[in-house]
Amino acid sequence: MRVIYSPLHARHDGGVELHRGALVPSFESPARALYILDALQQGGFDVLPPRDMPESRLLDVHDADFVEFLRSAYRRWTAGGRDGSMLPSGFPARGLRRDHVPSGIHGALGYYTFDASTPVVAGTWEAALAAARCAMTAAALVAEGDSAAYALCRPPGHHAGRGFFGGYCYLNNAALAAQQLRDHGCARVAVLDVDYHHGNGTQEIFWERDDVLFVSLHATPESEYPYFLGYADERGAGRGEGHTLNLPLPLGTRWREYRAALDMALEAIGRYAPDALVVSLGVDTFEADPISGFKLTGPDYAQLGTCLAAARLPTVLVQEGGYAIAEIGANVARVLGAFP
Ligand code: OKP
Ligand code: ZN
């Protein structure tokens, strides 16, 4: 399968994040993409740059005011005399207004994000846009007949919603890939999110739609990020009722139990009979991941790839998380290597 990659990801280097009460170096770093790229090049994969997809495509899954905020946020920050990473310090929780975007940059920043782990720096917009273009390009290749394609996206995307960013994510790459498939010949698309964390942004974007099925395997939000979405009783609404399926799993999950949940996910996808599949491919389910609590091993990722390929659907794989940098490339290569 072909790999879509842009070096522009390196323009985004958040530096620090607020993690369990401490400011620590960002887990989501440029090295992640470099290690994946290196492993895939060693593995003989063809690497292509993204196409110059128009920015207007973003508006199919994101609000215009939100996109404009991301585009201009860092300029506003520096105009206020600041440098370094933008991090928020106040959010519109229950009891506060959500119908008004504060005109000042600090209030606007808190309005448009939901955590303090997702810094905006000078190159964030360029990198996020390049990642979105990688995902849309991979989807275009599949719509044009490739049986599978992989978008080496960085920053990741599945926590970003229609009008908010967070969880290291700014634009929702997987949702943009799904929308690209919808607009180019696929009447029904399934998104399968296998990242350790629940893809709250993707779920929100497709919550009321029946043309995109969202299925997610992830660690229980009772103790794991993003905490406030991803429970089993969330099933979609309106036309989308029954088109969201969450399979939360306990900490310590190993391949045996993971595989059982994956089979349920793939059965649900089979029943939906989509024209194409988008996989939000996080490899932070790995036993050595520094921020996660599952116990998948290297060889398990080859099994994961085999299970995904056995669905025999045109498939777009979109990179999400994975923070055990030394093994991230090998684990991604194992998944991709299982595809014919
Ligand atoms: C992004 B992706 C926990 C901090 C969690 C955000 C995690 C975002 C994961 N104390 N920080 O789904 O891999
Ligand atoms: Zn994750």
Side-chain angles (χ1 to χ4, degrees):
M1 85 172 72
R2 294 195 272 187
V3 168
I4 316 301
Y5 169 81
S6 165
L8 290 175
H9 76 84
R11 304 273 175 99
H12 174 68
D13 190 350
V16 290
E17 67 172 75
L18 190 58
H19 177 70
R20 299 174 189 166
L23 266 188
V24 302
S26 298
F27 291 98
E28 201 295 291
S29 69
R32 297 179 55 249
L34 299 175
Y35 276 69
I36 296 172
L37 179 67
D38 187 59
L40 298 182
Q41 281 172 334
Q42 304 269 335
F45 288 88
D46 244 355
V47 180
L48 278 67
R51 297 180 191 168
D52 203 15
M53 300 292 195
E55 290 184 33
S56 58
R57 296 270 172 86
L58 303 176
L59 304 179
D60 296 332
V61 309
H62 290 294
D63 296 333
D65 64 314
F66 167 66
V67 170
E68 188 45 41
F69 176 80
L70 282 181
R71 197 196 324 267
S72 58
Y74 201 75
R75 270 199 302 278
R76 292 173 64 187
W77 183 259
T78 53
R82 305 196 146 262
D83 59 9
S85 296
M86 296 176 70
L87 284 179
S89 44
F91 306 98
R94 289 160 308 288
L96 299 173
R97 282 180 68 167
R98 287 160 192 263
D99 63 328
H100 175 74
V101 186
S103 60
I105 185 62
H106 301 287
L109 180 59
Y111 179 87
Y112 283 114
T113 189
F114 65 96
D115 67 33
S117 330
T118 315
V120 174
V121 296
T124 298
W125 167 252
E126 260 185 305
L129 179 59
R133 284 179 166 145
C134 287
M136 290 188 281
T137 301
L141 290 177
V142 167
E144 292 159 13
D146 281 20
S147 60
Y150 168 73
L152 205 179
C153 294
R154 182 187 169 268
H158 71 152
H159 296 300
R162 191 160 272 286
F164 58 86
F165 69 100
Y168 313 154
C169 301
Y170 304 86
L171 297 169
N172 195 312
N173 307 314
L176 289 160
Q179 187 62 45
Q180 176 79 21
L181 291 162
R182 280 288 295 107
D183 294 339
H184 293 87
C186 298
R188 292 147 76 86
V189 175
V191 178
L192 174 58
D193 190 321
V194 298
D195 187 277
Y196 177 79
H197 305 94
H198 176 248
N200 63 286
T202 315
Q203 174 171 308
E204 186 247 4
I205 287 167
F206 298 119
W207 184 246
E208 296 193 31
R209 286 172 58 168
D210 60 2
D211 58 332
V212 178
L213 175 73
F214 176 71
V215 182
S216 182
L217 262 67
H218 50 270
T220 174
E222 295 285 1
S223 66
E224 301 303 284
Y225 188 90
Y227 313 119
F228 308 108
L229 214 66
Y231 295 87
D233 63 348
E234 298 157 19
R235 309 212 357 104
R239 295 174 67 93
E241 173 132 38
H243 291 88
T244 288
L245 174 62
N246 283 314
L247 299 167
L249 296 163
L251 268 78
T253 291
R254 294 172 187 279
W255 175 250
R256 188 188 161 77
E257 306 88 59
Y258 193 89
R259 167 73 199 259
L262 181 63
D263 284 345
M264 286 176 63
L266 289 166
E267 275 163 31
I269 290 167
R271 282 194 297 277
Y272 183 66
D275 301 300
L277 175 66
V278 174
V279 178
S280 266
L281 179 62
V283 292
D284 43 6
T285 46
F286 185 55
E287 56 184 351
D289 196 275
I291 63 169
S292 307
F294 284 178
K295 298 269 177 265
L296 267 54
T297 66
D300 295 338
Y301 288 97
Q303 301 278 329
L304 173 61
T306 301
C307 293
L308 297 173
R312 298 203 180 283
L313 290 164
T315 301
V316 181
L317 298 116
V318 176
Q319 186 63 44
E320 301 286 358
Y323 309 97
I325 290 184
E327 296 95 347
I328 190 174
N331 288 340
V332 170
R334 286 173 172 123
V335 175
L336 305 195
F339 281 77

